[in-house]
Amino acid sequence: MDALIDTGMTSPDCLIGVGLDGENFNEAATSLRGFRRTEMYGVGYEATRLVVVGLGRVSIEGLGGSEIDTYVAEVGDNLLGVCYFQRLAGFEVVWDLNGGEMTIRKKLP
């Protein structure tokens, strides 16, 4: 599924890597495990809020080796948060601020 990168979506324990809208969360729920409620920060919210999460395997389509275990939350939108990238060992995120682009690639040796 398509998801936006949201650098403001995080959780105090940095476990939530993906946020989904209700429809996609319900569809993904059959392959998630370890359901619980946890706190999440989001841009536009003054405080943390409790969200339902489940643990699952997530990857970026077309980016080999990007599969990680992370919590997936029902948050109202399809978002890929910073906590996903913090667990993406062996990769780097390169920001081209002038060009307004971000590249995710394997780290060079």
Side-chain angles (χ1 to χ4, degrees), residues 34-47:
F35 287 93
R36 65 181 185 151
R37 290 191 181 276
T38 192
E39 292 181 312
M40 185 192 81
Y41 292 108
V43 173
Y45 294 94
E46 293 183 19

Side-chain angles (χ1 to χ4, degrees), residues 11-108:
S11 56
D13 51 12
C14 206
L15 293 176
I16 301 173
V18 176
L20 297 177
D21 63 24
E23 181 181 337
N24 284 306
F25 183 82
N26 289 335
E27 188 177 317
T30 59
S31 62
L32 301 176
R33 60 194 187 283
F35 287 93
R36 65 181 185 151
R37 290 191 181 276
T38 192
E39 292 181 312
M40 185 192 81
Y41 292 108
V43 173
Y45 294 94
E46 293 183 19
T48 60
R49 59 185 173 141
L50 284 176
V51 295
V52 175
V53 298
L55 188 62
R57 296 287 288 169
V58 175
S59 64
I60 296 175
E61 186 175 341
L63 187 61
S66 65
E67 190 172 90
I68 62 162
D69 283 322
T70 189
Y71 278 96
V72 177
E74 182 178 4
V75 298
D77 291 303
N78 296 331
L79 306 171
L80 191 58
V82 294
C83 297
Y84 171 85
F85 295 104
Q86 288 179 348
R87 288 188 160 62
L88 199 55
F91 288 84
E92 60 187 1
V93 177
V94 179
W95 294 88
D96 176 358
L97 300 176
N98 290 331
E101 294 181 354
M102 179 183 82
T103 303
I104 305 163
R105 64 183 184 205
K106 288 225 183 237
K107 286 184 183 177
L108 301 173

